[in-house]
Amino acid sequence: MLYRSEQEVNSNDISKVHAESETFEFTSWSNVPPPSRFTFPTTPQDAWKLLVGSTEGDVTLNVQRYDGTTAHLAKTQTWKVAPANLAGTIYYWEINQGNVVRLKVGDTAPENFLQKPPGVTCVACHSVSADGSTLVAGFHGGYSPWGTFNTQDGSSIYATDTASGFQAISPDGAYVVYGQSAGAASMSLSASTNLTPLATLTPPAGAVTHPTWSNDGDKLAYGVRTDGNWLDFNNSSLYVADVDALAASITNQIEIVPNSDPTLRTNTYPTFSPDSQWIAFQRSNQCRTRGALGEVWLTSADGAMIKPLTALNGTGVLPGVEGQASYQPTFLPVAVGGYFWLVFESERTYGNTLTDTNPASRRKQLWVAAI
C-alpha cells in the first residue's frame, strides 16, 4: 500500500503507479482520492504476490500524478525483495487488554491464545524460546511473578508467585532466568517448571535488567543499571556472560557496551541474532519507551564493533525526533532469504494513517527490518 499526503492529491486527480523489476512489470492509472492510499489489485490476479513471487533483488517504483492540467514529475523509490518468505510468529503485548497475543506471518489479525492461570488477570512482559515451544511471562504488574505456557495450545505449564518482571528463557524452553522485580541486584536461573535456584547472575555493580538467551544456548546478554528501579532507570551498560544450565553455572561476565553516550545512557533490551554472533539493543535516554529518545544499535557479542542501525532508525530521514523513536528489538531466531530479521517498536508517524507527533499520545507500531 502506498501513502501520499492529502494536500498533494485532489479528488479528480489521476495517479500512475509503475513497478518494474527484471522479471515483472506493473502499471496502473487510477483515481485515488484523499486520503490517497493505493492498494495493489488482487483481481483478476494478486499483483503484489506476483511481484514478490517473481522478483529477487531490486524493484523500481514510480508514482506520478496528473491534476487535469499538469503531469507532475514522478516520485521514485527502489525496493529490494528477499528471495524467501518470512517464517515464524510475532508475539506481543496488547497493553490496553493486558494480554500477550500472537500474529502469524500472513495473518490479518492477532490471535488471543493464552489460557491464563487461575487468578491471573494480566499477562505482560514475556519471552519465547528460540524453538518456539514455550513462552514465559510476568503476571499482574507490580512484583510480576512469572509462569510458562505451551505455545502449541496456549495452556499454562507452570505458574509461580515469585517476583520476576522480565525473564529470559533458554532456546529449548527448559530453563528461565528471572527476578528483575524482586528488589535484588541479582537474578536466578531455574528449570522452567521448578523454582529451585540452580545458579545466580550477580553483576559486579548495579542490578541486572532485561536478560536474553543466545540461540546456541551458551550466553546471556543483559543490561546492568546503576540508578532507579527495575522499571524506571536512566543509566545502564550492556553485559554478556557464559551460561551452562546443565552445569548450573553463569560465569565470565563482560561489559560490552558502556553507558558512555552523553545523551543516550540507557543500554538494554538486548536480543541475539540467529547465529548468536550479534546483539541488537535499545540505546535511549530512559528505560521506559513512552516518549523516550531511543535508537536500535548493533554490537558484536564481544563488544568489538558497536554501531547504530541508521536506516532502521530513520536517522536523517524521519522528521524531528522521529529518528529517535525506535525501541525494544527482537530478532527472528532463524535467518531467511540471506538476512537476519529484526522486529522493533516505533512511535514514528506512518504516512497519512498515523500522524500524531505528540510523544505523550503517539501510537506504537511493530516494524520489521532486514539486517
Side-chain angles (χ1 to χ4, degrees), residues 136-176:
V136 61
F139 305 145
H140 307 313
Y143 68 113
S144 297
W146 65 277
T148 52
F149 296 85
N150 183 336
T151 59
Q152 185 70 27
D153 58 8
S155 61
S156 173
I157 299 173
Y158 185 65
T160 80
D161 195 40
T162 298
S164 179
F166 293 85
Q167 310 78 214
I169 189 166
S170 62
D172 59 1
Y175 298 93
V176 175

Side-chain angles (χ1 to χ4, degrees), residues 21-243:
S21 70
E22 289 186 352
T23 54
F24 178 91
E25 186 173 8
F26 168 86
T27 305
S28 168
W29 290 268
S30 57
N31 176 255
V32 188
S36 310
R37 301 170 186 170
F38 175 81
T39 302
F40 281 89
T42 57
T43 57
Q45 291 179 297
D46 191 317
W48 178 257
K49 286 186 177 179
L50 288 173
L51 167 60
V52 298
S54 64
T55 300
E56 178 179 337
D58 289 347
V59 175
T60 300
L61 180 80
N62 293 293
V63 180
Q64 190 173 13
R65 178 171 64 94
Y66 175 66
D67 62 12
T69 302
T70 304
H72 296 265
L73 292 175
K75 298 291 186 179
T76 301
Q77 289 186 351
T78 300
W79 299 346
K80 189 177 294 292
V81 179
N85 291 323
L86 275 182
T89 301
I90 297 173
Y91 294 81
Y92 65 95
W93 183 27
E94 281 190 330
I95 299 175
N96 58 328
Q97 300 296 328
N99 289 322
V100 172
V101 298
R102 64 184 176 193
L103 182 66
K104 298 178 180 178
V105 173
D107 284 359
T108 58
E111 176 188 4
N112 189 351
F113 72 105
L114 286 187
Q115 302 173 34
K116 297 175 182 177
V120 171
T121 58
C122 176
V123 181
C125 306
H126 60 280
S127 300
V128 182
S129 60
D131 66 2
S133 67
T134 312
L135 181 146
V136 61
F139 305 145
H140 307 313
Y143 68 113
S144 297
W146 65 277
T148 52
F149 296 85
N150 183 336
T151 59
Q152 185 70 27
D153 58 8
S155 61
S156 173
I157 299 173
Y158 185 65
T160 80
D161 195 40
T162 298
S164 179
F166 293 85
Q167 310 78 214
I169 189 166
S170 62
D172 59 1
Y175 298 93
V176 175
V177 171
Y178 61 92
Q180 182 169 332
S181 64
S186 61
M187 299 184 77
S188 299
L189 167 66
S190 295
S192 58
T193 56
N194 193 310
L195 278 174
T196 302
L198 302 175
T200 301
L201 174 59
T202 303
V208 179
T209 70
H210 307 128
T212 190
W213 219 299
S214 65
N215 293 307
D216 60 14
D218 293 339
K219 289 189 179 295
L220 293 171
Y222 47 95
V224 174
R225 64 175 176 85
T226 55
D227 68 345
N229 58 54
W230 76 277
L231 274 178
D232 293 283
F233 55 88
N234 301 319
N235 290 274
S236 60
S237 301
L238 202 67
Y239 277 69
V240 295
D242 296 332
V243 59

